[in-house]
Amino acid sequence: MNDTVCLILGGGKGTRLQPLTSYRSKPAVPLGGKYRLIDIPISNCLNSGIRRMYLLTQFNSVSLHRHIRQTYKFDPFSGGFVEILAAQQTNETGTDWYQGTADAVRKQLRYIQQPGIKYVLILSGDQLYQMNFQDMLNTHQQSNADVTIAALPVEQEKAAGFGIMRLSDTGRVEGFLEKPTTQQELDLVRTDPAWIDAHGVQSHGRQYLASMGIYLFNREVLVKSLEATNYQDFGKEVFPASIRAKRVQVHLFDGYWEDIGTIRAFYDANLDLLDKNPAFRFDDEEARIFTRPRYLPASRIDGAMIKRSLIADGCRIEAGAQIENSLIGLRCVIGPNATVRNSVAFGADFYRTPEDDHTGDQAVPCVGIGAGSLIDGAIIDKDCRIGKNVVVRKPANFGDDGEYGPLVVRDGIIVIPKGTILPDGWTFGEP
């Protein structure tokens, strides 16, 4: 893979993930207690032998840049790097910000036109999956393709949420339909399950091949396509145009894959990690997920009850606390007799100090979850100060999404934004 370079798209404003993206970009959103979303595509590249990666960023990118700088360092003999390509004003690109995924790559073409690059892999920075891109490159080379796209078999009920491809018998992509809904549209892009079974993937009745937004281009094809057009988006413009003019091949994938585009998808993906045999594994030695080493101490748990949960490093969980079906992030402090259920807690960026414990203002609690509090069905962003005997859970017959004081409800999930202060006795819902 020495002749392959990867471009990871940092994403737009991430409005559907608000308020988690109020102060950070989508790829910088914490995941799994101690990781960030950007660690997934970078780790997949490293596990596939790809050592040259560019990350294209634009919105709220400071924490993402810091994470990349502190995490991914290569020795001078490997030739590897993860470099940030932020939107910037230049004589060549003008003063506009990135106008879309394709426009972002167009504005940075000089970096993939350097010598020694034959293939360009395009990835998103907000997807959860494990893939060996060497397999995709093999498909690309064996089919003599100009472009190869990764595809996931899906059931008819899910097809309306994806771009669906129509194939020839050789696996060449001949058509593409974005989010088909009618039976007539579905019939146009249906793939015979027998064909899927014959190409190394068990269809289990799945008849539609969904685009995963993972593309492998011959470099010259990508460069000419972007230089000759003003296309702004890969999925909606570049890829459909490539189908008409170039040989586009499909690469079948049948592992776990989740697009972390909404609060509900994010919440569910994190809680899915709590399964005894989760579909996505952070403990797979053959596909390790890397992140920043923080050198934190082991978590201290003193007489707490913990069921079906994950506890990250550096936590302090006091006597009588109950944690059930929850993911507890770095440096979390959970007070005596507090209860956390069905929740994702990001933790804290710093340890509380004696000065932090004595702020001088008794109305401002310490960082963490105070004694006797109940949190149920929530995402707790970093550095929140939740006082004693606080209740956060959806009331019975809860109505619409929206803002409820300091809290935000999106997709039916309560989100406690970063740095929120909930004083002693504060209540949302019923105890």
Side-chain angles (χ1 to χ4, degrees), residues 15-218:
T15 54
R16 293 186 301 162
L17 272 177
Q18 290 278 12
L20 302 182
T21 50
S22 296
Y23 302 101
R24 59 172 76 90
S25 61
K26 282 197 294 183
V29 172
L31 173 76
K34 59 187 297 182
Y35 303 88
R36 292 180 185 254
L37 279 172
I38 191 60
D39 293 326
I40 304 303
I42 292 178
S43 297
N44 281 327
C45 284
L46 293 174
N47 291 326
S48 303
I50 298 174
R51 294 291 185 270
R52 293 187 287 178
M53 289 162 270
Y54 291 106
L55 174 58
L56 280 61
T57 67
Q58 182 163 264
F59 295 100
N60 287 335
S61 56
V62 172
S63 64
L64 179 61
H65 290 200
R66 183 187 304 118
H67 178 73
I68 296 297
R69 185 179 68 252
Q70 295 175 335
T71 306
Y72 299 102
K73 301 177 182 179
F74 296 80
D75 68 78
F77 305 104
S78 69
F81 58 80
V82 180
E83 291 190 5
I84 303 292
L85 299 180
Q88 59 182 337
Q89 297 182 14
T90 69
N91 292 329
E92 294 83 10
T93 62
T95 60
D96 291 337
W97 280 33
Y98 297 151
Q99 301 303 305
T101 54
D103 184 63
V105 175
R106 181 184 294 109
K107 284 183 167 66
Q108 306 293 354
L109 276 180
R110 63 185 179 274
Y111 294 100
I112 66 174
Q113 290 177 301
Q114 299 176 21
I117 297 174
K118 189 174 181 180
Y119 306 106
V120 180
L121 180 65
I122 308 290
L123 305 178
S124 295
D126 55 359
Q127 297 176 347
L128 183 59
Y129 64 103
Q130 288 169 310
M131 178 186 290
N132 188 334
F133 298 123
Q134 180 65 62
D135 296 335
M136 189 173 181
L137 180 60
N138 292 342
T139 298
H140 184 82
Q141 293 173 332
Q142 291 167 7
S143 61
N144 197 29
D146 298 306
V147 186
T148 296
I149 181 170
L152 182 74
V154 297
E155 299 87 355
Q156 179 172 324
E157 294 74 21
K158 296 182 178 180
F162 297 93
I164 304 297
M165 292 170 284
R166 175 170 55 84
L167 309 182
S168 71
D169 290 340
T170 64
R172 181 172 180 171
V173 181
E174 295 183 332
F176 179 79
L177 193 58
E178 184 72 22
K179 298 181 179 180
T181 54
T182 68
Q183 190 59 52
Q184 184 178 9
E185 290 176 331
L186 290 166
D187 290 342
L188 288 174
V189 290
R190 178 183 176 276
T191 298
D192 187 348
W195 186 93
I196 298 175
D197 292 333
H199 289 78
V201 171
Q202 295 297 313
S203 65
H204 299 298
R206 294 172 295 177
Q207 306 176 55
Y208 302 92
L209 296 180
S211 167
M212 298 169 63
I214 298 173
Y215 310 98
L216 181 63
F217 284 84
N218 289 343

Side-chain angles (χ1 to χ4, degrees), residues 271-284:
L271 292 193
D272 285 346
L273 300 173
L274 308 178
D275 291 344
K276 185 175 181 179
N277 294 298
F280 183 92
R281 304 188 67 94
F282 281 100
D283 58 355
D284 186 345

Side-chain angles (χ1 to χ4, degrees), residues 317-361:
I317 302 174
E318 302 295 355
Q322 298 185 44
I323 301 173
E324 185 174 355
N325 196 47
S326 295
L327 195 153
I328 307 300
L330 298 162
R331 305 183 189 89
C332 254
V333 176
I334 299 178
N337 301 311
T339 299
V340 180
R341 296 195 194 104
N342 310 311
S343 296
V344 179
F346 286 1
D349 283 323
F350 56 90
Y351 278 119
R352 52 191 242 183
T353 64
E355 291 76 16
D356 184 56
D357 283 349
H358 300 87
T359 61
D361 184 350

Side-chain angles (χ1 to χ4, degrees), residues 182-383:
T182 68
Q183 190 59 52
Q184 184 178 9
E185 290 176 331
L186 290 166
D187 290 342
L188 288 174
V189 290
R190 178 183 176 276
T191 298
D192 187 348
W195 186 93
I196 298 175
D197 292 333
H199 289 78
V201 171
Q202 295 297 313
S203 65
H204 299 298
R206 294 172 295 177
Q207 306 176 55
Y208 302 92
L209 296 180
S211 167
M212 298 169 63
I214 298 173
Y215 310 98
L216 181 63
F217 284 84
N218 289 343
R219 182 184 67 173
E220 298 309 318
V221 170
L222 176 61
V223 171
K224 290 178 180 179
S225 175
L226 294 178
E227 287 182 337
T229 69
N230 61 355
Y231 292 150
Q232 296 183 354
D233 187 85
F234 273 103
K236 297 178 181 178
E237 296 174 295
V238 175
F239 176 56
S242 298
I243 294 173
R244 297 189 296 268
K246 301 295 180 181
R247 180 179 180 87
V248 180
Q249 189 74 15
V250 72
H251 173 72
L252 295 181
F253 176 77
D254 196 30
Y256 177 90
W257 179 84
E258 184 65 51
D259 184 3
I260 309 294
T262 65
I263 290 293
R264 169 60 68 177
F266 175 82
Y267 175 82
D268 289 343
N270 274 275
L271 292 193
D272 285 346
L273 300 173
L274 308 178
D275 291 344
K276 185 175 181 179
N277 294 298
F280 183 92
R281 304 188 67 94
F282 281 100
D283 58 355
D284 186 345
E285 276 295 323
E286 296 183 358
R288 299 171 65 191
I289 305 299
F290 304 97
T291 193
R292 178 164 69 94
R294 293 176 175 83
Y295 311 109
L296 293 173
S299 292
R300 184 177 68 81
I301 302 170
D302 184 8
M305 185 279 288
I306 301 175
K307 294 181 179 180
R308 195 179 180 269
S309 297
L310 293 176
I311 311 296
D313 303 339
C315 297
R316 194 173 80 207
I317 302 174
E318 302 295 355
Q322 298 185 44
I323 301 173
E324 185 174 355
N325 196 47
S326 295
L327 195 153
I328 307 300
L330 298 162
R331 305 183 189 89
C332 254
V333 176
I334 299 178
N337 301 311
T339 299
V340 180
R341 296 195 194 104
N342 310 311
S343 296
V344 179
F346 286 1
D349 283 323
F350 56 90
Y351 278 119
R352 52 191 242 183
T353 64
E355 291 76 16
D356 184 56
D357 283 349
H358 300 87
T359 61
D361 184 350
Q362 297 302 314
V364 179
C366 301
V367 173
I369 300 173
S373 291
L374 168 64
I375 312 294
D376 191 352
I379 299 173
I380 310 167
D381 208 330
K382 286 188 174 182
D383 303 328

